[in-house]
Amino acid sequence: MNKELEHNFIEELEKNQNIVHKVCRIYTNNQEAHNDLFQEITIQLWKAYPKFRGDSKFSTWMYRVGLNTAITLYRKRKRSIKTEEFDAFQYKLSSEPYDDTEEEQLKLLYKAVHQLNDIEKALVFLYLEDKNYKEISETIGISEVNARVKMNRVKNKLRTILNP
Amino acid sequence: MDELELLKKDWKKDEDSKYPKLSYNEIYKMILKKSSSIVKWIFIISLLEFAFWTLISLAFKGTEYNKRFESYHADNIMIPLMVIAYAILIYFFYRFYMNYRTISATDNAKVLMENILKTRRTVKQYVGFNLIFMAISAFIALGIQFDRDQEMISLIENASANGEVFKFYAITIIITIVFLGILIAIILGFYYLIYGILLKRLNGNYKELKKLEV
């Protein structure tokens, strides 16, 4: 029984692992931190899995546990992250060529997102993942109206960072 | 274009090639590892706190001071105090454990944070209770000593012969207060440090969410 549970879980996670990678991408700045957070989210998912009833999709449930881990549960194993590593670690931007200004703007945007606080990052992440405000409000635990208001503030904040 | 739309365009492109692909075995190895989550740390530290206060009361037994105290025959006061202390320990531990069990990573972010903070608050109340209890016990013990300790009684007699009995009481009580004050300050400072470090981020995020609700 336990083996079966384990097997199902690993298969599901293997299939949907991009969600976890994307949470890590929003919340971390270097490879080591990415792996560390990925590890912790995996453990939290596995610990919560017996309670996963299947009344929501596995992927929907992953968003919740993943974000909860990143925002609340996660504690870095290693404290020191050297600042030089920050810039060295960058995800490939899309292979399709952008024009120079757009590519430059994207780099700045990702940098700006990393300057947001944990809650703002969660909002941006869910927005990028095409979640509607109802889902966003349910995942974070604020009202839909407040989620909209906050989202607008975040957009403005990003705009100011980009066009000072 | 809206900044976020531009970001979204890039975010969604090449999703399958952009991220590392972990294999079944790599994920399997991960679930065997131990969590280092904040909840686990709070749990460990809380258990240590419960253990610390229990050990202190146990360590006190069999000391010289305790033996001397037994000679006062103050069991009718000390035994009820012990019973109260243990009853309250059990009560707090039960509440702590029940709170701990409600913590679930599947709740929404706000509820999860609230449940963690609630667990933490229970232990905080327990520590607060212990500090108050410690202070009250110290004064009861002092009262018993004034009344029944031979050495103390002869000191009081000496002092009253010199007409300084008030001064004697005042000094003894002030010394006790100062001593207790220092002890409590050290203990509180210690907690402040540990939890300040541990809960800084959680508190910050929780405040941020609360701010949105206003």
Side-chain angles (χ1 to χ4, degrees):
Chain A
M1 179 58 208
N2 225 342
K3 276 280 155 212
E4 196 188 316
L5 195 75
E6 200 176 88
H7 177 71
N8 289 344
F9 172 76
I10 298 174
E11 270 197 338
E12 287 272 26
L13 180 56
E14 193 186 357
K15 219 164 44 192
N16 293 293
Q17 59 177 289
N18 268 356
I19 297 175
V20 184
H21 284 301
K22 285 187 275 187
V23 173
C24 296
R25 182 178 188 185
I26 287 281
Y27 282 94
T28 64
N29 267 319
N30 64 66
Q31 190 64 54
E32 200 185 331
H34 179 113
N35 295 347
D36 200 33
L37 180 57
F38 192 100
Q39 160 85 65
E40 188 62 41
I41 292 176
T42 302
I43 294 173
Q44 294 298 334
L45 283 166
W46 171 234
K47 268 170 56 182
Y49 190 59
K51 278 188 261 167
F52 171 65
R53 302 245 176 271
D55 28 82
S56 60
K57 262 168 56 190
F58 186 77
S59 56
T60 313
W61 174 78
M62 277 178 75
Y63 280 103
R64 200 172 257 229
V65 178
L67 278 179
N68 272 337
T69 308
I71 297 175
T72 306
L73 301 171
Y74 176 57
R75 240 189 103 62
K76 269 187 238 114
R77 265 158 257 256
K78 292 178 193 116
R79 305 210 112 250
S80 60
I81 288 165
K82 292 181 198 95
T83 33
E84 309 94 74
E85 287 176 48
F86 275 71
D87 291 327
F89 179 71
Q90 254 171 1
Y91 291 88
K92 279 181 285 179
L93 293 175
S94 183
S95 52
E96 206 176 293
Y98 292 103
D99 60 68
D100 281 354
T101 46
E102 211 167 69
E103 184 160 338
E104 194 51 41
Q105 215 176 359
L106 271 171
K107 274 187 187 160
L108 283 172
L109 261 168
Y110 278 112
K111 225 174 171 174
V113 168
H114 277 132
Q115 288 171 30
L116 299 172
N117 68 39
D118 288 344
I119 306 294
E120 292 166 338
K121 279 180 188 149
L123 280 158
V124 169
F125 171 69
L126 291 169
Y127 182 84
L128 292 178
E129 289 293 297
D130 276 332
K131 301 292 166 197
N132 60 38
Y133 281 108
K134 186 166 178 283
E135 283 172 282
I136 294 179
S137 78
E138 281 168 358
T139 308
I140 297 183
I142 55 177
S143 72
E144 235 177 288
V145 178
N146 286 328
R148 275 175 204 278
V149 172
K150 185 68 185 168
M151 196 66 207
N152 279 329
R153 277 191 216 145
V154 173
K155 280 183 190 169
N156 286 335
K157 197 168 170 182
L158 287 176
R159 204 163 294 146
T160 340
I161 299 178
L162 285 175
N163 313 301
Chain B
M1 194 177 11
D2 187 328
E3 283 79 3
L4 273 180
E5 290 309 315
L6 175 66
L7 195 62
K8 197 189 259 186
K9 201 175 90 185
D10 180 70
W11 185 259
K12 293 201 162 294
K13 252 185 214 163
D14 311 319
E15 253 194 29
D16 286 324
S17 58
K18 213 165 10 186
Y19 301 105
K21 277 267 161 287
L22 296 187
S23 69
Y24 187 97
N25 273 331
E26 281 170 314
I27 295 174
Y28 174 71
K29 272 184 213 144
M30 280 189 167
I31 65 174
L32 298 179
K33 291 216 174 115
K34 289 243 180 307
S35 154
S36 77
S37 83
I38 184 170
V39 175
K40 194 178 146 190
W41 282 106
I42 291 180
F43 186 73
I44 292 171
I45 292 175
S46 300
L47 287 186
L48 288 176
E49 281 170 55
F50 284 117
F52 171 77
W53 290 102
T54 314
L55 280 178
I56 277 203
S57 66
L58 289 178
F60 190 64
K61 282 192 195 303
T63 57
E64 195 69 13
Y65 182 72
N66 192 248
K67 273 185 203 128
R68 201 160 128 190
F69 218 88
E70 274 166 10
S71 70
Y72 308 153
H73 302 293
D75 278 358
N76 56 340
I77 300 170
M78 296 320 278
I79 287 177
L81 275 181
M82 287 290 269
V83 171
I84 292 172
Y86 281 111
I88 286 181
L89 167 72
I90 291 166
Y91 165 75
F92 273 110
F93 193 77
Y94 172 78
R95 266 191 50 198
F96 166 74
Y97 185 68
M98 292 317 270
N99 284 338
Y100 176 74
R101 278 188 40 180
T102 61
I103 294 175
S104 157
T106 7
D107 277 321
N108 71 49
K110 191 164 168 237
V111 171
L112 173 66
M113 288 181 201
E114 273 163 4
N115 285 338
I116 294 175
L117 291 174
K118 220 190 277 170
T119 308
R120 168 65 210 124
R121 209 173 304 131
T122 307
V123 184
K124 214 184 202 167
Q125 283 164 357
Y126 179 65
V127 170
F129 160 79
N130 269 307
L131 293 178
I132 293 167
F133 189 79
M134 184 173 86
I136 292 172
S137 308
F139 280 103
I140 291 177
L142 188 64
I144 294 172
Q145 280 186 312
F146 278 149
D147 188 44
R148 304 189 187 173
D149 189 86
Q150 283 315 316
E151 219 174 290
M152 192 68 103
I153 290 169
S154 63
L155 281 172
I156 294 171
E157 275 165 3
N158 274 346
S160 47
N162 299 333
E164 287 177 333
V165 71
F166 176 75
K167 197 172 147 198
F168 176 79
Y169 277 121
I171 288 173
T172 317
I173 290 171
I174 287 170
I175 288 173
T176 309
I177 290 174
V178 169
F179 182 72
L180 275 173
I182 292 172
L183 200 63
I184 288 173
I186 291 172
I187 291 172
L188 286 182
F190 191 61
Y191 282 123
Y192 186 76
L193 247 164
I194 290 186
Y195 286 105
I197 295 167
L198 198 60
L199 291 179
K200 192 172 160 227
R201 190 155 146 251
L202 199 154
N203 273 325
N205 285 335
Y206 185 65
K207 266 187 207 139
E208 175 77 17
L209 279 183
K210 283 301 255 188
K211 213 166 66 191
L212 289 179
E213 291 300 295
V214 185

